Amino acid sequence: LEQVLDSSGGCPQFIRQMTLEWHHYSFDWRYGEGSSPGINAIVTLLHTCGLKNFWTYDEAGQPNNEKIYTELGMKDVRYNLASFRRDG
């Protein structure tokens, strides 16, 4: 995705719809429940490019239940899916 955005000048007009899957993100509670700075950045960029979020699997994401992450101190590791499309 980064390569496509960089090589197309930031807003590739040939993309009409895309679905993204996020892994191993956590929340930044300073900005409200469900807020993740990394995800906020890409959603804002896609919105600026005319791609609007029309579907999200789960507003809070799915917690990862693998023990290794808890043992590493990563207590709020999540997954989620979101789809975006260009109107018109």
Side-chain angles (χ1 to χ4, degrees):
L1 178 59
E2 183 178 9
Q3 175 64 30
V4 169
L5 294 172
D6 288 347
S7 66
S8 66
C11 289
Q13 295 302 308
F14 60 87
I15 295 177
R16 307 286 305 150
Q17 181 174 325
M18 74 168 63
T19 297
L20 299 175
E21 181 174 346
W22 290 290
H23 287 248
H24 302 101
Y25 68 91
S26 59
F27 295 138
D28 186 339
W29 299 106
R30 295 175 297 174
Y31 301 106
E33 186 175 340
S35 180
S36 169
I39 293 174
N40 289 347
I42 190 67
V43 169
T44 298
L45 175 63
L46 293 174
H47 187 267
T48 300
C49 291
L51 293 160
K52 310 295 189 241
N53 180 226
F54 71 92
W55 178 82
T56 302
Y57 178 73
D58 186 321
E59 288 296 322
Q62 294 295 312
N64 184 327
N65 60 2
E66 293 181 41
K67 186 178 176 185
I68 184 74
Y69 298 112
T70 303
E71 291 171 351
L72 291 171
M74 300 168 68
K75 295 181 174 65
D76 193 17
V77 177
R78 297 175 177 266
Y79 300 94
N80 211 347
L81 295 162
S83 292
F84 302 82
R85 70 175 165 224
R86 191 180 308 279
D87 292 332

